[in-house]
């Protein structure tokens, strides 16, 4: 459906002209200063001009006839080619024409609406005067456009890579700097270490001329006088810059021990407030980074090496990380703080065995099959890596969380990693760091290459919430990272798969019998049905569609720029429709095809598409091609698009499953317990002697969640019943999912004796507490509204920016 959107609120522009020129590698050299809350330093970008990239796009383009029942036209990617076609749909209706960096013959007018820096330098240019000209005979200068926001850019210069000793080995014309960079970025995978060394040397080479630059709200624009095409533009440039304390990609806060820390978040504007970059997923690159900070701090990062600090001048140390697998810049993550590495009290032989492992770059390669991605040191091509069930892992957290990490988190990691391997095969990444982030982290978890952020909310209660969330983030190593969405509007390709796989991994990690696993998964499906129903009833229809751009999904402007639908809408961060509808679609496919057939296919799909970007039809078409026709009645890509991905509300096939979800054995047990509580609630305060005491069954955490959801449907629950409920299940000591429902009951029935539980939840479980603020305000009860205002005042300075904006709108 066509919806008129407010661009300043809803859509996030991706400005980089990736169709003309691509970043192949970043070298970051940064200093972290907690006193000023600024990260400052340089970033060197190594480019490959986009001509070859554009020529390839037609040969591997995927076209989908989504509005009919015809199968998609699908071609398998050729081995070791650059992924083609950019990732976001560009719509002239949205109002971003003023920001697009145009192709030959078009004038760029970004200066018209741009919010330029006040400190215009003599070398600054007005971006409205220049356009992107990739032709050989263009009369105007080429303009490089990078995604950039909330940054102070101080200087941009060309790097004299020809000055690096020994660099002549890369070219017969050592004075041609662009040729040197071209040869460097094209080195084969088995020369990865030499390549990284020369990237580092080149990044330290002297400058050979400042470049003209300008900034607006969302981009950094750079040109070189006389360079009329992307081929002529310098292929190695250095940018000196500093972040801003309020930059939206960087969170400065305090940890659970009250000590200062900083971490980056991939949303809502990705990493453009951390460093100038190319944001579209198609701009996949490698990186290496050196970060200096106080010697008392630990620096963690998306890197395949387990970095150790190097002592510098007194009081400071340096950390170095690198990756050799090309990834979108949005997946880069950094965290700096007084973290302590958490280790088991007793190290088992199994744990020691995992530490003997290797990174993919350090192993001998045995090519066990042809990969479809661009060349890099790939674990799927290494026989030893393919059998490695548990990759090396570390856990970091503030020292005050040592006991709970040792008791809850550490024992779960090996079985969860092993379970994931048993389902999907080769771990795409060689190691894993897990960091318990501060209370203001806006979700329960976030996965990046080689590192996972987990909320402290996952550590309370039993292991259920921690285990399922850990499995969810581990699943993202395959879906979301190793296999990415070519269009970020198709979030279900990441979140739907991770939600679907978390149940499968968790059942195997617990070593459940098949019938137990099925029952638990049915129960979780029942809970998700309730959540989806609630979300559909309480969210705008246009935000319930998983593929809103329909047949235009994956389309971009000529320059490669595009927009992310609803990318700036703060409410979208808290929506789960892409998790839930994606999960139910995959459940539907697994049930239709049979689980053995489905998971056998899934492993094949991962092996085929790892290291690449996909659209929905890539997955669906390969699935249908691998399934005998008799096993897929009425299944087609077009039907799935129509029923599941391109319509709002609850899909028709899922509505037919509602009764089956309610008939799950564990859910029926909950219904019996609910009936008991309803009887207890109806009894008069003074019981008659003949009334027998109700005996309540012990319930699983997910059953407790369902029980409380059913009780929330009761018009009245007495304080006496609520008190008995809390004592029976020790609700204030349960995991965050259970306590959230308990807090809802407290608020709904104004159970003042337990308001302390609500206060605690709003302070310690900020990732889940937003909805409670709304409930407190809607009650129109002065005491509850005062509670909401007091909790917000206590936490607003540290609260995630999107969360604070949503809560402030509720309160004021």
């Amino acid at each position: 459906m066509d919806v008129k959107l407010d661009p300043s609120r809803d859509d996030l522009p991706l400005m980089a002209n990736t169709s003309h020129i691509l970043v192949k590698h970043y070298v970051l050299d940064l200093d972290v200063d907690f006193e000023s809350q600024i990260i400052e330093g340089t970033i060197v970008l190594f480019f490959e001009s986009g001509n070859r990239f554009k020529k390839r796009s037609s040969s591997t383009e995927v076209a989908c006839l989504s509005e009919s029942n015809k199968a998609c036209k699908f071609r398998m990617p050729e081995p070791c080619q650059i992924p083609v076609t950019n990732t976001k749909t560009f719509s002239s209706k949205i109002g971003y024409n003023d920001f697009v960096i145009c192709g030959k013959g078009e004038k760029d007018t970004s200066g018209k609406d741009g919010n330029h820096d006040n400190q215009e330098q003599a070398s600054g240019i007005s971006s409205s005067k220049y356009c992107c000209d990739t032709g050989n005979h263009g009369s105007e200068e080429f303009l490089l456009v990078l995604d950039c926001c909330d940054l102070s850019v101080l200087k941009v210069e060309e790097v004299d890579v020809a000055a690096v000793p020994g660099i002549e080995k890369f070219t017969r014309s050592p004075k041609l700097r662009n040729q040197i960079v071209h040869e460097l970025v094209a080195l084969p995978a088995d020369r990865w270490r030499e390549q990284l060394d020369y990237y580092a040397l080149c990044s330290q080479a002297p400058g050979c001329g400042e470049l003209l630059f300008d900034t607006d709200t969302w981009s950094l624009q750079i040109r070189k006088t006389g360079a009329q095409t992307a081929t002529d533009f310098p292929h190695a440039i250095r940018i000196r810059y500093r972040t801003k304390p309020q930059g939206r990609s960087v969170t400065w806060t305090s940890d659970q021990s009250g000590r200062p820390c900083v971490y980056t978040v991939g949303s809502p504007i990705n990493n453009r407030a951390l460093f100038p970059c190319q944001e579209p997923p198609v701009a996949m690159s490698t990186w290496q980074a050196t970060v200096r900070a106080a010697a008392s701090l630990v620096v963690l990062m998306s890197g395949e090496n387990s970095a150790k600090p190097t002592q510098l001048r007194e009081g400071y140390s340096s950390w170095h990380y690198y990756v050799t697998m090309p990834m979108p810049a949005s997946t880069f993550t950094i965290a700096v703080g007084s973290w302590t590495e958490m280790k088991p009290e007793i190290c088992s032989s199994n744990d020691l065995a995992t530490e003997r492992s290797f990174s993919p770059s350090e192993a001998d390669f045995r090519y066990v099959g042809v990969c479809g991605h661009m060349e890099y040191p790939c674990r799927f091509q290494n026989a030893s890596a393919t059998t490695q069930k548990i990759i090396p892992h570390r856990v970091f957290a503030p020292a005050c969380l040592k006991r709970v990490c040792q008791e809850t988190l550490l024992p779960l990691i090996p079985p969860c990693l092993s379970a994931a391997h048993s389902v999907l095969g080769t771990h795409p990444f060689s190691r894993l760091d897990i960091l318990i982030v501060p209370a203001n982290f806006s979700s329960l978890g976030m996965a990046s290459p080689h590192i996972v952020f987990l909320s402290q909310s996952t550590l309370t209660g039993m292991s259920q919430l921690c285990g399922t969330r850990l499995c969810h983030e581990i699943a993202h190593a395959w879906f979301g990272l190793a296999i990415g969405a070519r269009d970020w509007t198709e979030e279900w390709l990441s979140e739907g798969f991770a939600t679907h796989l978390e149940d499968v991994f968790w059942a195997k990690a617990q070593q459940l019998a098949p019938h137990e696993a099925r029952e638990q998964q049915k129960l979780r499906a029942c809970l998700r049905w309730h959540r989806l129903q609630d979300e559909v009833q309480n969210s705008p229809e246009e935000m319930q569609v998983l593929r809103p751009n329909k047949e235009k999904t994956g389309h971009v402007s000529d320059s490669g720029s595009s927009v992310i639908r609803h990318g700036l809408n703060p409410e979208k961060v808290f929506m789960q429709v892409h998790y839930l509808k994606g999960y139910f679609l995959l459940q539907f496919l697994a049930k239709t095809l049979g689980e053995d057939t489905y998971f056998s296919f899934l492993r094949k799909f991962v092996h085929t598409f790892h290291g690449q970007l996909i659209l929905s039809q890539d997955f669906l078409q390969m699935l249908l091609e691998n399934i005998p026709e008799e096993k897929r009645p009425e299944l087609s890509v077009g039907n799935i698009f129509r029923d599941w991905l391109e319509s709002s509300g609850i899909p028709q096939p899922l509505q037919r499953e509602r009764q089956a979800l309610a008939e799950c054995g564990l859910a029926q047990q909950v219904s019996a317990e609910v009936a008991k509580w309803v009887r207890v609630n109806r009894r008069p305060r003074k019981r008659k002697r003949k009334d027998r005491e109700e005996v309540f069954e012990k319930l699983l955490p997910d059953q407790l969640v369902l029980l409380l959801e059913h009780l929330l449907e009761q018009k009245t629950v007495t304080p006496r019943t609520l008190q008995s409920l809390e004592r029976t299940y020790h609700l204030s000591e349960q995991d965050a999912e259970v306590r959230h429902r308990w807090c809802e009951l407290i608020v709904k029935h104004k159970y003042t004796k337990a308001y302390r539980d609500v206060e605690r939840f709003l302070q310690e479980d900020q990732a889940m507490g937003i909805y409670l603020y709304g409930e407190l305000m809607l009650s129109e009860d002065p005491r509850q509204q005062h509670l909401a205002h007091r909790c917000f005042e206590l936490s607003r300075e540290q609260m995630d920016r999107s969360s604070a904006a949503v809560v402030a709108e509720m309160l004021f």
Side-chain angles (χ1 to χ4, degrees), residues 316-358:
Y316 286 86
S317 58
S318 172
W319 301 71
H320 181 75
Y321 289 89
Y322 63 84
V323 297
T324 58
M325 174 182 175
M327 300 288 295
S330 61
T331 64
F332 179 95
T333 298
I334 184 173
V336 184
S338 301
W339 322 123
T340 300
E341 184 175 355
M342 304 297 170
K343 296 182 179 180
E345 291 184 336
I346 301 175
C347 190
S348 71
S349 58
N350 287 338
D351 293 330
L352 288 172
T354 66
E355 297 302 323
R356 289 190 290 101
S357 191
F358 46 84

Side-chain angles (χ1 to χ4, degrees), residues 102-238:
C102 55
K104 185 175 180 180
E106 297 176 289
K107 294 289 182 182
D108 169 46
T109 58
S110 61
K112 185 167 62 178
D113 292 336
N115 182 17
H116 295 270
D117 288 347
N118 292 328
Q119 68 232 33
E120 287 258 345
Q121 301 183 17
S123 62
I125 61 171
S126 170
S127 58
S128 61
K129 297 178 182 178
Y130 300 91
C131 83
C132 297
D133 184 356
T134 57
N136 293 328
H137 306 288
S139 59
E140 299 185 11
E141 289 164 339
F142 172 77
L143 190 68
L144 168 70
V145 182
L146 299 174
D147 294 296
C148 174
C149 181
D150 301 337
L151 291 177
S152 296
V153 177
L154 308 176
K155 181 181 180 181
V156 182
E157 62 181 348
E158 181 176 0
V159 178
D160 187 7
V161 295
V164 174
I167 200 73
E168 61 273 4
K169 69 194 294 183
F170 290 111
T171 177
R172 286 171 293 182
S173 304
K175 293 184 179 180
L176 298 178
R177 301 186 189 97
N178 283 4
Q179 182 64 26
I180 292 172
V181 175
H182 172 75
E183 297 295 336
L184 179 57
V185 301
L187 281 178
D190 59 2
R191 295 176 66 183
W192 66 272
R193 188 175 291 279
E194 178 186 14
Q195 186 181 46
L196 286 178
D197 288 344
Y198 272 99
Y199 277 139
L201 290 170
C202 287
S203 72
Q204 296 162 15
C208 55
E210 290 194 29
L211 302 177
L212 309 178
F213 70 91
D214 194 13
T215 60
D216 59 25
T217 304
W218 292 111
S219 70
L220 167 64
Q221 303 134 25
I222 304 168
R223 72 175 177 92
K224 178 182 179 179
T225 302
Q228 295 185 349
T229 70
T231 304
D232 300 331
F233 189 81
H235 281 30
I237 66 170
R238 181 186 295 114

Side-chain angles (χ1 to χ4, degrees), residues 3 27 66 88 142 152 160 212 332 373 416 448 472 512 536 539 554 573 599 629 699 707 739 742 746 753 808:
V3 180
V27 178
S66 61
K88 301 291 176 291
F142 172 77
S152 296
D160 187 7
L212 309 178
F332 179 95
H373 53 70
C416 290
S448 300
H472 182 101
L512 296 179
V536 165
S539 63
V573 178
F599 283 106
E629 194 163 346
L699 298 178
L707 173 82
R739 287 186 288 110
W742 169 230
I746 294 168
K753 287 184 178 180

Side-chain angles (χ1 to χ4, degrees), residues 588-784:
F588 166 75
L589 293 173
K591 182 178 179 181
T592 302
L593 305 174
E595 289 201 351
D596 290 344
T597 301
Y598 172 79
F599 283 106
S600 175
F601 159 76
L602 207 56
R603 286 176 73 118
K604 183 177 180 181
F605 180 80
V606 164
H607 196 278
T608 301
F609 277 97
H610 68 273
Q612 299 173 68
L613 303 172
I614 65 169
L615 298 174
S616 293
Q617 57 262 38
D618 297 343
F619 170 73
L620 297 172
Q621 183 65 25
M622 183 176 172
L623 174 70
L624 298 180
E625 286 178 352
N626 279 266
I627 305 303
E629 194 163 346
E630 63 272 12
K631 287 192 175 183
R632 48 183 173 98
E634 299 181 11
L635 274 187
S636 71
V637 176
N639 286 344
I640 294 171
F641 278 169
R642 182 196 64 213
D643 294 342
W644 290 90
L645 303 182
E646 295 180 354
S647 59
S648 59
I650 296 177
Q652 286 295 326
L654 179 55
Q655 292 181 15
R656 294 192 289 267
E657 292 287 314
R658 182 177 184 179
Q659 188 59 37
L661 294 175
E663 292 172 356
C664 153
L666 292 176
Q668 288 182 328
Q669 186 181 8
V670 171
S671 297
E673 297 304 296
V674 171
K676 294 177 187 177
W677 283 108
V678 170
R679 288 197 295 270
V680 167
N681 191 55
R682 287 174 180 168
R683 286 175 184 163
R685 188 173 184 83
K686 291 185 178 180
R687 270 192 310 117
K688 298 177 182 179
R689 284 189 176 181
K690 64 179 181 180
D691 289 341
R692 64 182 179 85
E693 191 78 29
E694 293 285 0
V695 178
F696 297 101
E697 300 291 333
K698 187 176 181 180
L699 298 178
L700 298 169
D702 282 337
Q703 288 181 298
L704 278 177
V705 171
L706 187 58
L707 173 82
L708 296 176
E709 287 187 355
H710 283 310
L711 292 177
L712 278 165
E713 296 170 1
Q714 297 295 311
K715 188 174 182 180
T716 304
V717 179
T718 67
R720 177 173 47 83
T721 302
L722 290 169
Q723 184 180 44
S724 178
L725 194 68
E726 202 287 326
R727 287 177 177 172
T728 300
Y729 301 116
H730 305 286
L731 293 176
S732 61
E733 300 169 15
Q734 295 288 342
D735 69 34
E737 291 277 13
V738 176
R739 287 186 288 110
H740 185 270
R741 272 52 170 207
W742 169 230
C743 289
E744 289 182 68
L745 269 175
I746 294 168
V747 172
K748 179 176 179 178
H749 299 292
K750 300 181 176 60
Y751 184 40
T752 57
K753 287 184 178 180
Y755 279 2
R756 65 185 181 280
D757 290 345
V758 178
E759 291 189 50
R760 174 192 161 204
F761 194 90
L762 292 176
Q763 296 298 305
E764 297 180 6
D765 301 284
Q766 293 181 27
M768 303 175 67
I770 304 302
Y771 176 77
L772 282 179
Y773 279 105
E775 293 299 293
L776 288 165
M777 296 306 295
L778 285 173
S779 69
E780 298 186 356
D781 177 79
R783 185 169 176 181
Q784 288 194 358

Side-chain angles (χ1 to χ4, degrees), residues 503-558:
D503 292 356
V504 180
F505 292 177
W506 182 232
K508 288 185 176 293
Q510 296 176 92
Q511 297 183 329
L512 296 179
H515 71 280
E516 289 181 291
R518 283 193 295 272
E519 281 297 300
Q520 286 198 16
Q521 289 170 16
K522 286 178 183 177
L523 176 63
R524 292 178 68 77
C526 186
L527 285 170
R528 289 179 179 128
W529 166 267
H530 284 273
R531 292 174 197 170
L532 179 59
Q533 195 174 36
D534 182 65
E535 184 135 319
V536 165
Q537 292 170 355
N538 295 286
S539 63
E541 282 193 9
E542 66 269 15
M543 295 180 72
Q544 299 171 19
V545 180
L546 303 192
R547 195 170 180 263
N549 297 323
K550 299 187 177 180
E551 72 277 3
K552 293 184 178 180
T553 301
H555 290 200
V556 296
S557 71
D558 287 343

Side-chain angles (χ1 to χ4, degrees), residues 26 271 275 277-280 283-285 287 327-333:
Y26 297 95
N271 274 321
F275 57 89
C277 56
Q278 291 182 329
E279 280 287 319
M284 299 208 295
S285 57
W287 58 74
M327 300 288 295
S330 61
T331 64
F332 179 95
T333 298

